Amino acid sequence: MGKLYDRLAQDYRVKEGLRACINCGTCSAICPAAEFYKYDPKTIMNIVQTRDDAQIEELLKGDQIWYCGECLSCVTRCPRKNAPGLVIMALRSMSIDMGYFIESEKGRQQLPLTRRMQNNILNYGYCVYPRTFHYKDHPEYGTVGKWINENMEAVYERLGAHLDQIGPGALRKIPQESLDELKAIFDVTGATHRMEVVEEASKKMAEKMGMTLEEYEQQAFDETSQEHLNL
Amino acid sequence: MIFQGKQKIWSEYQKDIPEDHYFYVRSCIRQSFFPASEKTFLDIVKGELGKDFFETPHHTTCGGIAYHAEAVPQETMMTIIARQFALMTENGYENYVCSCITSFGLYTEVMEDWREFPELEAKIRENLWKATKREFKVPKYLAHASDIIYKFRNEIAERAKFRLVNHKTGAPLKVVEHIGCHYSKMFPSKGVGGAEYPYVLAGMIESWGGEVIDYPERRHCCGFGFRQYLVKANRGYSMSNTYKKFESMEPFEPDMIITNCPGCPYFLDRWQYVIAEQTGKTYGKDGYGIPVFTYEEVAGLVLGYDPWDLGLQTHQVAVEPLLDKMGVPYKPEEKYKGVGGKVIVPPEFPMNIKCC
């Protein structure tokens, strides 16, 4: 008992975010995710405080830890200055590092997320970038968004952006030497390793589910079960 | 000076914002969805006010959205931020201002973590050196770009061509202000007015003649939720939060919404469109929605900038009802044109909500 907790407790977000939870439930009362999903941050804080490996492992393999929106409204309201949102972030990191994330539907979303975010940063230097933000994946972008997508150069020029241009300005082409530095940072700090872990574990799970990795990624991005919802 | 009661409490949530000499970093979301707002910010502080705001093409994402989507570890995000600080240091600046609220929250958190855990800062310095051979100083002052517009709100008011007032009746416009969660919910003392009474946008509204609306879900998240929007399967979460806010503000009949976060104006605008297309419901009058603006867009309107130079044509919810109330002139036929009047085929019209 306590090995998983000991590992979790090494995370600075747990050092910052879990001092002594009195389980009052204020975090759950303010939480937007608790209203939408079958989710209760108070229970998660309580489980972590028990230091019980079996219960913590269940959390790491389950859907609950992926419901939080990381708005961190809980931090403002906690009367003990805890940060349930930060503890959730530490649990998520641990779930990925240990390969447990593939056991839950919401955890399996890590493949499309990691691929898309890391691709944007390493290739362009941005987390969100117009050339990879497609209307077909984002129909809520609306008729105006579709118009922006279809007339990208002309619209961004009109808005004073410097799309793919050299020099400063919005959406400038970030110099290759700066992108190379981001890649070196990824290699030194574990982001490259995280991508490898996510790819490897997802590949095994896709095989187990009888899918190609591309089918698995698309399903993780598109589909969700109603059972998550707090109806 | 001895402060008493509320005055003392209020004084603890004020920021002493430096006047000048900032290293400026952009926002991934705002560059993609509101690039004209960042241009307007620089036009105001550099062009109108003559201040020194420096930008290098070598700065990048802070990695914040990827970090909050768990796509990169905390150490990666911290080291990317350390690189941004190195660029600031190398260019001779000590004041750091960011366009993004997610970044602002992370910069604040990182600087607090390093102060509390010096061994963590040492590790990040080592990471940065290994990866880039760069070194850095921690900024002496961190501001969000909305802090700067707040600081100069009265100077902007003095130059105003238009005010947040109905130009026909003289009545102040009713304005909803929406603060990005990561501006002050995590570290209340770092935001103007703290988490309970954030004043950064309310101060602008009051200075420019508008009336701030208080409504029950004023402090509720817009619903971005990072992975809750980035993954298509989760977007019900995002829309539900926006829906909750609009249902709550509707009885107060706001004329407009002003925001200081990258994602919030996008979500509050686009989810109104989705709600209208799915249910037929619009929150404005006669098939219009409630127009949503960045603070730079509003500052630009007050200063008399052309609405299409401000990028208001990229909103899904029509802004024209607000322009008409303020008395701002505009050319409808120019709305969807390119530079020099270049013709671009205009967007399709939605079924249930007016976009112009």
Side-chain angles (χ1 to χ4, degrees):
Chain A
M1 180 168 160
K3 282 183 184 168
L4 287 178
Y5 175 81
D6 291 344
R7 180 169 170 171
L8 192 64
Q10 297 302 308
D11 193 305
Y12 286 97
R13 291 167 294 196
V14 174
K15 291 178 189 179
E16 277 286 299
L18 182 56
R19 294 182 171 93
C21 169
I22 56 173
N23 231 239
C24 64
T26 304
C27 54
S28 299
I30 193 69
C31 178
E35 199 171 351
F36 186 75
Y37 288 125
K38 290 174 185 165
Y39 176 63
D40 181 20
K42 177 189 78 168
T43 305
I44 293 179
M45 292 292 273
N46 208 28
I47 288 172
V48 172
Q49 283 199 135
T50 65
R51 306 186 180 200
D52 182 278
D53 269 358
Q55 288 188 73
I56 293 174
E57 186 175 324
E58 198 177 325
L59 275 183
L60 297 173
K61 290 181 174 175
D63 280 305
Q64 274 223 20
I65 58 171
W66 306 103
Y67 292 154
C68 167
E70 300 188 10
C71 68
L72 299 171
S73 301
C74 50
V75 179
T76 313
R77 291 281 172 255
C78 177
R80 302 286 294 185
K81 306 287 182 201
N82 293 307
L86 291 183
V87 175
I88 294 291
M89 290 157 80
L91 285 163
R92 289 175 172 184
S93 289
M94 197 162 154
S95 175
I96 296 167
D97 293 343
M98 299 184 75
Y100 288 163
F101 67 99
I102 53 166
E103 302 293 335
S104 66
E105 182 198 294
K106 296 290 184 190
R108 288 195 283 277
Q109 294 173 344
Q110 214 51 46
L111 180 69
L113 277 168
T114 311
R115 279 184 169 182
R116 288 164 197 227
M117 287 288 117
Q118 290 211 5
N119 175 60
N120 279 352
I121 294 176
L122 293 174
N123 291 331
Y124 305 106
Y126 302 95
C127 278
V128 177
Y129 186 64
R131 295 204 185 279
T132 60
F133 191 88
H134 302 300
Y135 173 75
K136 70 175 173 58
D137 291 334
H138 294 274
E140 73 287 347
Y141 200 10
T143 60
V144 174
K146 186 165 180 274
W147 173 74
I148 295 169
N149 250 207
E150 290 170 351
N151 301 280
M152 197 170 287
E153 279 77 12
V155 173
Y156 280 112
E157 183 189 18
R158 177 66 184 91
L159 301 176
H162 295 181
L163 183 64
D164 299 336
Q165 293 176 34
I166 306 296
L171 299 173
R172 71 212 169 276
K173 182 173 174 54
I174 291 180
Q176 187 58 48
E177 59 266 37
S178 296
L179 296 179
D180 292 343
E181 288 190 12
L182 289 179
K183 177 67 172 75
I185 289 172
F186 269 44
D187 291 344
V188 166
T189 59
T192 305
H193 177 66
R194 174 162 292 188
M195 189 71 251
E196 290 164 1
V197 168
V198 169
E199 288 280 348
E200 187 62 28
S202 301
K203 194 177 164 194
K204 282 183 187 161
M205 194 61 184
E207 281 170 14
K208 195 173 164 186
M209 293 168 76
M211 296 176 178
T212 66
L213 193 56
E214 282 59 41
E215 288 167 345
Y216 170 96
E217 181 185 4
Q218 201 61 49
Q219 187 185 72
F221 186 76
D222 285 337
E223 295 178 22
T224 188
S225 158
Q226 291 290 305
E227 71 186 25
H228 305 291
L229 304 180
N230 195 11
L231 298 171
Chain B
M1 185 183 291
I2 298 170
F3 288 99
Q4 297 292 328
K6 287 181 182 176
Q7 203 174 7
K8 179 177 182 303
I9 294 167
W10 187 237
S11 72
E12 290 169 1
Y13 290 108
Q14 299 312 298
K15 286 176 79 167
D16 188 16
I17 303 163
E19 289 247 340
D20 207 352
H21 305 301
Y22 281 92
F23 183 81
Y24 178 67
V25 293
R26 293 179 181 272
S27 149
C28 301
I29 292 183
R30 304 186 88 222
Q31 287 176 90
S32 296
F33 300 134
F34 304 99
S37 288
E38 291 195 341
K39 181 178 183 302
T40 302
F41 176 80
L42 293 175
D43 286 348
I44 292 172
V45 294
K46 292 168 81 171
E48 300 270 349
L49 303 170
K51 305 295 180 187
D52 169 30
F53 280 69
F54 175 79
E55 176 196 3
T56 169
H58 289 278
H59 85 278
T60 67
T61 178
C62 73
I65 301 201
Y67 168 65
H68 282 295
E70 287 73 35
V72 299
Q74 189 182 32
E75 259 191 45
T76 304
M77 171 274 290
M78 284 188 169
T79 310
I80 295 174
I81 284 176
R83 181 181 176 276
Q84 308 273 71
F85 289 168
L87 294 173
M88 176 200 76
T89 308
E90 290 160 18
N91 284 288
Y93 286 82
E94 294 181 323
N95 299 329
Y96 193 97
V97 59
C98 53
S99 170
C100 177
I101 289 283
T102 301
S103 300
F104 180 74
L106 281 175
Y107 291 129
T108 307
E109 185 184 335
V110 165
M111 286 159 67
E112 289 291 313
D113 281 351
W114 291 352
R115 189 183 55 75
E116 193 169 341
F117 306 108
E119 75 280 9
L120 181 58
E121 181 181 340
K123 178 81 192 306
I124 300 303
R125 286 184 180 280
E126 191 184 322
N127 286 344
L128 185 68
W129 181 255
K130 267 190 205 164
T132 69
K133 298 288 181 284
R134 291 184 192 269
E135 294 179 292
F136 68 93
K137 287 182 185 167
V138 174
K140 275 197 177 162
Y141 190 83
L142 172 70
H144 181 256
S146 63
D147 294 334
I148 307 292
I149 297 296
Y150 168 80
K151 182 173 181 67
F152 295 115
R153 66 196 185 284
N154 294 329
E155 283 82 346
I156 291 169
E158 284 166 13
R159 293 167 165 79
K161 302 274 196 312
F162 304 96
R163 301 182 73 230
L164 301 181
V165 168
N166 187 315
H167 80 115
K168 287 181 183 162
T169 66
L173 296 178
K174 291 185 280 184
V175 188
V176 158
E177 51 85 87
H178 177 82
I179 307 279
C181 290
H182 291 195
Y183 175 69
S184 60
K185 282 185 178 174
M186 301 185 306
F187 297 95
S189 67
K190 304 298 180 189
V192 178
E196 301 292 351
Y197 305 104
Y199 190 63
V200 63
L201 295 177
M204 294 179 206
I205 294 163
E206 288 173 2
S207 183
W208 300 339
E211 178 188 320
V212 178
I213 286 181
D214 200 7
Y215 67 105
E217 298 299 342
R218 186 174 171 183
R219 298 290 161 238
H220 196 78
C221 176
C222 72
F224 178 18
F226 301 98
R227 66 193 306 117
Q228 313 303 349
Y229 172 74
L230 295 169
V231 176
K232 198 178 197 175
N234 299 343
R235 286 183 199 148
Y237 170 103
S238 186
M239 187 170 71
S240 296
N241 280 286
T242 288
Y243 176 73
K244 179 171 172 145
K245 286 187 73 77
F246 276 98
E247 289 292 308
S248 174
M249 74 175 76
E250 184 185 22
F252 299 87
E253 301 184 340
D255 295 302
M256 64 188 295
I257 300 169
I258 175 171
T259 61
N260 74 339
C261 186
C264 306
Y266 172 79
F267 296 113
L268 296 175
D269 180 76
R270 272 5 189 233
W271 290 133
Q272 278 193 84
Y273 155 75
V274 176
I275 291 166
E277 295 307 275
Q278 287 186 350
T279 70
K281 177 157 188 180
T282 54
Y283 290 95
K285 288 180 180 159
D286 305 322
Y288 285 100
I290 303 171
V292 190
F293 300 87
T294 70
Y295 55 95
E296 293 108 322
E297 289 169 347
V298 179
L301 288 176
V302 168
L303 287 166
Y305 293 9
D306 184 286
W308 315 142
D309 288 345
L310 293 169
L312 303 187
Q313 66 273 48
T314 63
H315 295 209
Q316 184 67 56
V317 174
V319 298
E320 283 84 344
L322 189 275
L323 303 181
D324 292 340
K325 285 173 190 168
M326 286 178 72
V328 172
Y330 59 93
K331 294 179 180 169
E333 68 278 11
E334 299 290 322
K335 183 170 183 180
Y336 297 112
K337 286 189 176 166
V339 170
K342 182 182 169 186
V343 176
I344 308 173
V345 177
E348 299 156 25
F349 294 132
M351 283 199 313
N352 296 330
I353 191 166
K354 292 179 182 171
C355 73
C356 56

